[in-house]
Amino acid sequence: DAMVIQNPRYQVTQFGKPVTLSCSQTLNHNVMYWYQQKSSQAPKLLFHYYDKDFNNEADTPDNFQSRRPNTSFCFLDIRSPGLGDAAMYLCATSRDRGGGRATNEKLFFGSGTQLSVL
Amino acid sequence: ELKVEQNPLFLSMQEGKNYTIYCNYSTTSDRLYWYRQDPGKSLESLFVLLSNGAVKQEGRLMASLDTKARLSTLHITAAVHDLSATYFCAGGGEAGGGADGLTFGKGTHLIIQP
């Protein structure tokens, strides 16, 4: 059974039209992450939530926002998508944050949402 | 800031051969991960390496970690076509609860030909 679920699998939006991507998890993990992966590139962390505490990466554009209304759900909002925002967006979870000393701590990734901007 | 470098970035090899992918990282990292990604798919966790000298094996893949050299390797033994994919290494997690998430290398695009 899928533990990190992303919807939709494919999303097409228009230039400048706001779009929201969703992620849900059944693992009851404390941490949820959003990564952006452009074609043939490495995933790049945009931001993460540790419980309700939002942590933005320094180079994440203001155009990207996130919401986490409860433990299970996390949303990625792109306020005004540009052509350069076309990418695969990956949601991931972990039980604890990196500073935790839990062994075998790892991230669980969803299947991703492929965003196209026309 | 953690930087992760993989090499090679592209690798074409024949079935039955052995090869190694290298992953160097720039600063202390709590742990080192290897992921596999098939085209258009998400990331599949292969290994988590937590300590110096750690070695883990799964089928034809073996990963190791040398924290003194800041080097991890992913060794492929007797490659088969099904192992064709992009392999990422990633480091992450500063001690004491600092930066979270993972920093990925650029990935190694592996093609295994019959």
Side-chain angles (χ1 to χ4, degrees), chain B residues 10-114:
Chain B
F10 296 95
L11 177 58
S12 178
M13 55 191 293
Q14 289 186 319
E15 281 191 327
K17 299 290 187 182
N18 304 331
Y19 211 81
T20 300
I21 300 171
Y22 297 89
C23 176
N24 291 93
Y25 55 96
S26 60
T27 64
T28 301
S29 177
D30 282 353
R31 55 205 189 285
L32 198 291
Y33 297 81
W34 285 96
Y35 285 89
R36 168 181 172 149
Q37 187 176 38
D38 292 299
K41 300 291 181 64
S42 189
L43 296 162
E44 175 191 354
S45 178
L46 296 175
F47 302 108
V48 182
L49 303 167
L50 295 174
S51 60
N52 187 41
V55 177
K56 291 193 175 180
Q57 183 163 5
E58 181 76 30
R60 300 175 188 272
L61 301 178
M62 183 174 71
S64 66
L65 178 63
D66 181 345
T67 57
K68 294 179 181 178
R70 294 178 183 164
L71 171 68
S72 181
T73 61
L74 180 66
H75 187 74
I76 303 158
T77 301
V80 293
H81 178 69
D82 287 351
L83 291 178
S84 297
T86 299
Y87 292 86
F88 290 96
C89 67
E94 293 179 12
D100 288 285
L102 298 178
T103 299
F104 284 82
K106 291 184 177 181
T108 296
H109 184 54
L110 175 63
I111 298 173
I112 299 170
Q113 300 176 351

Side-chain angles (χ1 to χ4, degrees), chain A:
Chain A
D1 291 336
M3 296 179 287
V4 183
I5 303 164
Q6 290 189 244
N7 285 302
R9 181 70 180 87
Y10 299 94
Q11 176 74 56
V12 180
T13 191
Q14 291 180 334
F15 183 93
K17 184 175 181 180
V19 65
T20 295
L21 310 181
S22 72
C23 177
S24 64
Q25 53 131 341
T26 60
L27 298 163
N28 203 34
H29 280 175
N30 288 319
V31 194
M32 296 187 76
Y33 307 83
W34 280 104
Y35 285 85
Q36 178 193 61
Q37 186 180 23
K38 296 187 178 180
S39 181
S40 300
Q41 295 185 23
K44 179 180 179 301
L45 181 64
L46 295 173
F47 27 58
H48 75 277
Y49 272 96
Y50 178 67
D51 195 15
K52 296 180 181 180
D53 181 26
F54 178 70
N55 297 270
N56 198 31
E57 292 299 297
D59 55 355
T60 297
D62 293 340
N63 197 25
F64 291 87
Q65 304 285 322
S66 186
R67 295 170 284 136
R68 189 178 186 187
N70 53 53
T71 300
S72 300
F73 286 87
C74 194
F75 300 98
L76 170 62
D77 301 307
I78 308 176
R79 292 191 297 184
S80 181
L83 299 178
D85 296 328
M88 171 81 85
Y89 289 88
L90 297 165
C91 173
T93 73
S94 66
R95 184 166 50 87
D96 203 349
R97 61 193 313 174
R101 289 297 183 181
T103 59
N104 209 32
E105 192 66 53
K106 61 180 180 180
L107 270 63
F108 293 81
F109 282 86
S111 57
T113 293
Q114 183 67 52
L115 177 68
S116 299
V117 181
L118 304 180

